[in-house]
Each structure stands twice: as C-alpha cells, then as structure tokens.
Amino acid sequence: DRLTLAAADGYRLSVRSAPLAEPVSEPLSVIVPARAMVELARISAEEENPILATVTPDQNRILFQLTNVVLVSQLIPGNFPDYEQIIPRERKTRTTVGTSDLLKACRTAQIFAREGADITQLHIHPESSRLVVSASSAETGDDETELKATIEGEPIDIAFNVRYLIDVLSVIDNPQVVLDTISPSRPGVIRPAGEEDFTHVVMPMHLGQ
C-alpha cells in the first residue's frame, strides 16, 4: 500500500514512493498535470495532516483535500509510459559522495558550462577514490573541482547537463548521494545513499570528438 509518483521529460526521470496513511481497495494509476502538483506542493508545505486524494468515478478529475483547502485538477487521459523499463538494472561503477560537496561543485561548474550547453564532465577514478567535476568555457576558462568519494567498479568519464544535476541534488536531504553508471552513453542513476524510495535517472550528454 504505497503511493508512487513518477515524472519524466526527454532527458530525465524521477520516481518517488511513500507509504499511504490508509490502504486503498484497488490499484489506480492516473496522470496529473505538473502544474497541479507544483501547486499542491506549494499549498501543502506547512500541512501537518495527511492529504486526502480522491479521483472522481469518471476518472476525469482528482481532488486533493487539505485542512483548509481543496485543490481540484483535471486529469490527463491516456497511459503513462512504462518508466520501470527506463531505469537501468545494472551498473559498472558506483560512486558515493557528499551531496552538498557535489552540489557546490556543480554550481561552480555551471558558471563555466553556460557557454557550452551546460555540459559538465564527471571523471570518476576508483584507484584514487576521486571524483573530478570539470567544465570549460572559451571566455572564462576551465573549472575543475576534486572531491573525495567511495567508488566501486571501473573508472569512467561521463558528461551531464549540469542544470539537471543541480536540480536533483537540491532536493536530496541525505548527506550522501549515490551515482550508478554503466558507460558514457548510458543513463546515470542518482539516489540518496541507503534509500530506495527515490530514484532519479538522467541521460548523459555526448561530447564531440
């Protein structure tokens, strides 16, 4: 009896699950507009009581009942893509690093990466337990930040859109974050260390030779 939220665009996927306050009689899957979820997050920031979500019998609308507010949203018809197939089930390298350290390094790299489509490279070195975050700019030069990390597996150089990394690292409150990678051309998987209820998949960026 869990609630699973999944959101995706063409470059990333986030999946978050949480236990329900009360069990439901049967499974249900609906597509809620992103704007409605953003508004729900805003108005429920200080809500102390459980939120009651009700789908109308025709499955055209969903109602979120808070203590003093009821939010009603239209539902999007159709079926959400099978996101489970997008999440890689294997890995060749697992990197565990401080969340705030990596976030700080990415924010610094973003200054240099803006001119280059926000491309930021992660150089993962298991033999020396180092994660190097780098970005380049013709105008402002090069940036490189070296972080200590716990690394299992093979060395790898992989590039991501740094804005996507900043977005996910900004919402992880665990002091450690895990990055699983397979190859420079396969998606990376980011999770809070020791937690399985949040998974973020991000597509890599391909560098011209």
Side-chain angles (χ1 to χ4, degrees):
D1 291 317
R2 296 183 68 83
L3 169 69
T4 299
L5 304 174
D9 56 22
Y11 306 99
R12 49 193 168 165
L13 162 73
S14 273
V15 181
R16 176 77 163 88
S17 64
L20 293 171
E22 297 181 5
V24 294
S25 57
E26 60 183 40
L28 177 66
S29 178
V30 295
I31 303 177
V32 183
R35 287 192 301 175
M37 297 305 296
V38 170
E39 179 64 12
L40 178 62
R42 185 187 69 81
I43 65 176
S44 64
E46 298 182 0
E47 179 70 29
E48 297 181 356
N49 298 317
I51 298 172
L52 177 63
T54 304
V55 177
T56 57
D58 56 11
Q59 296 194 10
N60 284 333
R61 292 181 298 170
I62 186 169
L63 292 77
F64 297 100
Q65 185 172 337
L66 289 74
T67 302
N68 298 311
V69 180
V70 176
L71 174 66
V72 181
S73 172
Q74 293 286 333
L75 294 174
I76 298 174
N79 297 315
F80 197 78
D82 185 3
Y83 60 85
E84 292 285 354
Q85 295 187 359
I86 301 174
I87 303 174
R89 299 303 175 187
E90 59 177 314
R91 69 172 187 268
K92 290 188 176 179
T93 307
R94 167 161 287 187
T95 305
T96 304
V97 66
T99 306
S100 61
D101 293 338
L102 182 55
L103 177 58
K104 182 179 178 180
C106 287
R107 283 175 170 160
T108 301
Q110 185 182 31
I111 299 171
F112 295 81
R114 285 171 181 159
E115 297 175 15
D118 287 316
I119 295 175
T120 294
Q121 296 188 62
L122 304 184
H123 310 278
I124 299 171
H125 304 284
E127 73 285 350
S128 57
S129 300
R130 291 183 303 126
L131 167 61
V132 179
V133 181
S134 68
S136 299
S137 166
E139 292 291 331
T140 54
D142 300 332
D143 171 69
E144 189 172 282
T145 302
E146 183 176 306
L147 304 175
K148 291 183 178 180
T150 301
I151 304 170
E152 306 169 15
E154 304 175 2
I156 183 174
D157 295 334
I158 189 168
F160 295 107
N161 185 314
V162 71
R163 291 189 296 109
Y164 298 161
L165 296 180
I166 291 172
D167 283 348
V168 63
L169 293 170
S170 296
V171 299
I172 293 177
D173 56 11
N174 190 305
Q176 297 280 308
V177 66
V178 174
L179 169 65
D180 287 339
T181 49
I182 302 171
S183 76
S185 60
R186 299 280 298 277
V189 180
I190 298 172
R191 294 186 178 95
E195 299 181 24
E196 297 296 330
D197 58 1
F198 177 74
T199 299
H200 187 83
V201 180
V202 58
M203 294 297 297
M205 299 188 75
H206 300 284
L207 302 175
Q209 300 298 322

